[in-house]
Amino acid sequence: MGSPLVLASGSEIRAQLLRNAGLDPQIFPARIDEDMVRESLLAESAPPRDIADTLAEMKALKVSDKTPGALVLGCDQVLDHQGTLFTKADTLEQARDQLQRLRGSRHMLLSAAVICRDGKPLWRHVGQVRLYMRDFSDAYLDAYLDRNWNSVRHAVGCYKLEEEGVRLFHRIEGDYFNVLGLPLLELLSHLALIGEIDG
Ligand SMILES: Nc1nc2c(ncn2[C@@H]2O[C@H](COP(=O)(O)OP(=O)(O)OP(=O)(O)O)[C@@H](O)[C@H]2O)c(=O)[nH]1
């Protein structure tokens, strides 16, 4: 790695994906009020893609001001279900309600990533995945949440594809990494292209 890489995210899976790829990011979560930003953008009818991109950029910019010379990666993922934006569930009851609304239909995950250096955006990408959820029973849903709530509470959509969440789907169009929250292939290709990693 040429310049130091900073991941402006508290997402464990994002850090793990970068480490598994051989990178060694410094973890520096950006503390921004995502709900406030999301609500104000929704009030302006901003599309989900723009909301994810704006939040990712804000996180990267905020941390890049504190890490001179570093490449700072900000990320944000939103779930779009027929025009309605879903955020992470705060309670198990909210998770049940969300999954009852998502089952038997298609939703989109939009995973935005922005790289900034010294307060300037250098690169951005929004990965998009279409996910088709099975029409599973309430009995399975309750059992799924009993087993997985403590894990999936940290994930938008209340599922983790690398865990039991995979059983919720019958079809997924898009790449696995975008589901987990990071357009990893595009990111690594760009870092190699600009010579920040070998490849
Ligand atoms: N492990 C796992 N995490 C997922 C999956 N789908 C979504 N997520 C996580 O859900 C979270 C989406 O919320 P974000 O607001 O983008 O990120 P965050 O976790 O709040 O962390 P920040 O980047 O600090 O805002 C991210 O941490 C994603 O990695 C999945 O299938 N597996």
Side-chain angles (χ1 to χ4, degrees):
M1 187 81 199
S3 317
L5 176 65
V6 175
L7 175 60
S9 174
S11 169
E12 286 172 20
I13 191 71
R14 287 183 178 130
Q16 186 185 325
L17 289 173
L18 293 171
R19 291 191 186 113
N20 290 353
L23 281 65
D24 181 21
Q26 178 195 342
I27 308 303
F28 195 145
R31 301 278 178 231
I32 66 166
D33 184 344
E34 293 189 45
D35 291 341
M36 184 197 66
V37 173
R38 193 179 298 114
E39 291 314 313
S40 65
L41 289 169
L42 283 169
E44 296 162 18
S45 307
R49 170 182 291 272
D50 292 0
I51 293 174
D53 179 66
T54 301
L55 282 165
E57 180 180 90
M58 286 179 73
K59 295 175 199 177
L61 285 173
K62 177 163 187 183
V63 172
S64 80
D65 286 344
K66 303 180 183 123
T67 52
L71 286 176
V72 181
L73 174 63
C75 305
D76 193 74
Q77 187 179 46
V78 299
L79 185 152
D80 174 5
H81 179 245
Q82 296 163 5
T84 301
L85 215 63
F86 281 44
T87 55
K88 281 181 272 184
D90 294 323
T91 65
L92 190 147
E93 289 67 32
Q94 268 184 22
R96 178 181 294 108
D97 172 62
Q98 282 192 5
L99 289 167
Q100 284 175 333
R101 289 160 63 191
L102 292 174
R103 70 180 169 191
S105 66
R106 183 186 86 177
H107 66 268
M108 313 270 281
L109 281 179
L110 298 158
S111 291
V114 177
I115 294 177
C116 290
R117 187 194 328 250
D118 298 329
K120 293 188 187 61
L122 302 178
W123 174 85
R124 59 189 344 116
H125 184 82
V126 181
Q128 178 174 305
V129 192
R130 280 190 183 82
L131 300 99
Y132 297 78
M133 204 174 260
R134 291 188 306 105
D135 193 12
F136 43 79
S137 66
D138 283 343
Y140 174 71
L141 175 53
D142 288 341
Y144 166 83
L145 286 172
D146 283 350
R147 289 190 292 267
N148 297 281
W149 166 242
N150 283 328
S151 172
V152 300
R153 66 194 304 158
H154 305 298
V156 79
C158 308
Y159 54 79
K160 288 186 175 179
L161 196 61
E162 75 278 21
E163 297 177 359
E164 185 179 343
V166 66
R167 289 171 54 179
L168 302 179
F169 300 99
H170 63 86
R171 186 170 161 199
I172 293 175
E173 293 167 352
D175 93 36
Y176 174 78
F177 302 110
N178 279 320
V179 177
L180 271 57
L182 185 65
L184 182 65
L185 299 174
E186 294 81 0
L187 171 68
L188 294 172
S189 300
H190 179 70
L191 292 175
L193 183 72
I194 62 174
E196 285 293 347
I197 59 174
D198 53 352

